[in-house]
Amino acid sequence: MTPQPGSAGDVLTLISAGSATTRSDLARLTGLARSTISQRVDALIERGLVEESESGESTGGRPPRQLRLHTEDHAFAGVDLGATHCRVALMDISGNLLAECEDSLLIGEGPEKVLAHVDQRLDRLLGEAGRPRSALRAIGIGVPGPVEFATGRPNNPPIMPGWNDYPIPEYFEGVSVLVDNDVNVMALGEHRHSFPGAGHLLFVKVGTGIGCGIVAEGKLHRGAQGSAGDIGHIRVSGHEDAGCRCGNSACLEAVAGGAAIARRLSELGLPAESGADVVALVQAGNTQALRLVREAGRLVGEVLAGLVNFFNPEVIVIGGALSRVHEHLLAGIRETVYRRSLPLATHHLSITPSRTGINAAALGAGILAIEHYLSPDNINRIVNA
């Protein structure tokens, strides 16, 4: 259903974006009659979505009444499920953080146990924030594997045994649940918090695996089946002997991911089993680790150079476990991207480490939930119910 211009949902969009703070602003921006604007605003106030207060400055006569989102009776959750961790962020309707927590949790324990843990943490955070469970309007969840976004079901995720086709949204009753790949919600969180003015952004997660979230014209681009941005399985030349978990060889992830670097360091006799071990060796100044991380950056840059020529982003953000040694990783990435991409495409291109860091996925998942709830279609359903 496409909302009509000037619907209650459209009016709320203008208020939530800060484009309109008074009824006069709304009438001017929409072209609707003041009586129609009053009907829309009164309906939003009645549903507890908007509040109005006399806090504007007077230009002579009665001060204008100010409109803003009603934050007290709404809560939203962003959940970041990693291979070995769970982060939960509780937010209000404006995206302000109310409470958060992080726990060690193995996603391989299966959906029932992991989601039960998430449910318990939601109750605890709501209690800390002084909000009842009924205030929770929507939950966003990022998972480390491919997801069919329309249904919220993981699709053969390699590091999530037991999760394939599991209906995650159905586990939580009485609340909207949106599930997406973790790198997509990272891209959303990074864009909204750090680069809101960028129309085209790539978020590249370099950890055990490698993935890319795509923001095009300010919106997440997921592709036809939700698998857009799976750059970890793009072939890189000269590494035909590197087998990948997908069954192919010479995939970017198989030669430049954290697990691949750890394996090569282990073969050199160094204590490395994971990307975290690689980071520790680099931070300790190990020259072999430094060399392999920079080489991995060049390989990632080789793939990104093609994406820069094709997509022409304004910003490329590097996140994930290996971004903790970003000065070495980015050196390799920048070296290749600027050498292999067209000058016009790189003229205003910024390649930068993540600014939201380990909170990117939880924040992005929460924003995903808020933006779904505040979408004009959903607001119109609430108002017309």
Side-chain angles (χ1 to χ4, degrees):
M1 179 181 68
T2 302
Q4 295 298 314
S7 68
D10 294 324
V11 166
L12 188 66
T13 296
L14 292 170
I15 295 171
S16 64
S19 302
T21 59
T22 66
R23 298 187 186 220
S24 296
D25 290 342
L26 290 168
R28 174 175 52 81
L29 291 170
T30 63
L32 296 175
R34 287 180 177 269
S35 59
T36 304
I37 289 296
S38 290
Q39 290 174 357
R40 303 282 191 267
V41 170
D42 290 345
L44 293 170
I45 292 173
E46 183 180 345
R47 298 301 189 278
L49 295 163
V50 168
E51 59 187 14
E52 194 171 28
S53 60
E54 290 186 1
S55 58
E57 294 183 5
S58 174
T59 57
R62 190 173 184 177
R65 295 174 64 83
Q66 299 289 293
L67 299 167
R68 68 179 184 91
L69 292 177
H70 182 69
T71 60
E72 285 74 16
D73 297 332
H74 302 81
F76 300 83
V79 181
D80 167 23
L81 294 179
T84 59
H85 73 265
C86 168
R87 294 188 187 93
V88 183
L90 190 71
M91 307 176 183
D92 67 18
I93 200 169
S94 296
N96 300 313
L97 191 64
L98 300 173
E100 61 182 331
C101 67
E102 178 180 349
D103 302 300
S104 295
L105 185 65
L106 297 176
I107 202 162
E109 293 183 352
E112 295 290 339
K113 187 169 183 178
V114 169
L115 296 179
H117 178 91
V118 171
D119 204 40
Q120 292 169 4
R121 287 294 180 263
L122 288 173
D123 281 336
R124 191 185 81 181
L125 293 178
L126 285 163
E128 290 178 7
R131 309 271 169 119
R133 181 75 184 218
S134 59
L136 187 62
R137 308 297 180 179
I139 303 170
I141 302 177
V143 299
V147 176
E148 185 180 58
F149 181 71
T151 64
R153 294 171 180 254
N155 188 346
N156 292 313
I159 63 171
M160 297 173 65
W163 288 78
N164 184 48
D165 206 36
Y166 185 88
I168 296 175
E170 295 177 18
Y171 185 90
F172 301 91
E173 297 180 357
V175 62
S176 297
V177 179
L178 297 95
V179 186
D180 208 341
N181 178 266
D182 59 357
V183 76
N184 281 346
V185 295
M186 287 177 177
L188 188 64
E190 193 75 34
H191 180 268
R192 299 298 193 262
H193 275 265
S194 304
F195 301 96
H200 299 81
L201 174 146
L202 298 178
F203 184 99
V204 182
K205 177 189 175 185
V206 186
T208 299
I210 298 175
C212 179
I214 305 167
V215 175
E217 296 185 350
K219 299 178 181 178
L220 273 177
H221 173 74
R222 298 183 177 89
Q225 273 74 48
S227 64
D230 198 357
I231 66 171
H233 299 288
I234 293 178
R235 186 179 180 86
V236 291
S237 59
H239 295 273
E240 285 69 23
D241 294 336
C244 183
R245 62 185 178 180
C246 72
N248 292 319
S249 61
C251 291
L252 179 63
E253 178 180 301
V255 294
I261 299 173
R263 185 171 58 252
R264 292 179 65 185
L265 288 171
S266 181
E267 291 169 355
L268 294 171
L270 294 167
E273 297 181 358
S274 66
D277 295 331
V278 175
V279 170
L281 286 168
V282 171
Q283 292 174 336
N286 183 276
T287 56
Q288 297 281 24
L290 287 166
R291 177 180 62 83
L292 290 179
V293 166
R294 185 172 287 237
E295 181 182 315
R298 294 190 188 101
L299 292 169
V300 173
E302 183 179 323
V303 170
L304 290 179
L307 298 184
V308 167
N309 287 335
F310 176 77
F311 182 61
N312 190 200
E314 298 153 68
V315 183
I316 298 177
V317 181
I318 308 297
L322 291 189
S323 69
R324 283 180 283 172
V325 289
H326 59 78
E327 63 270 25
H328 307 288
L329 184 68
L330 264 67
I333 291 174
R334 288 172 175 145
E335 175 187 332
T336 308
V337 168
Y338 288 117
R339 176 167 50 85
R340 297 283 300 272
S341 301
L342 295 172
L344 181 60
T346 59
H347 186 59
H348 295 292
L349 174 65
S350 172
I351 303 176
T352 181
S354 170
R355 296 179 183 175
T356 53
I358 61 173
N359 294 320
L363 292 174
I367 291 168
L368 182 70
I370 293 170
E371 291 187 353
H372 162 77
Y373 185 80
L374 291 179
S375 67
D377 279 356
N378 190 56
I379 294 302
N380 288 337
R381 279 192 289 268
I382 294 171
V383 169
N384 295 327

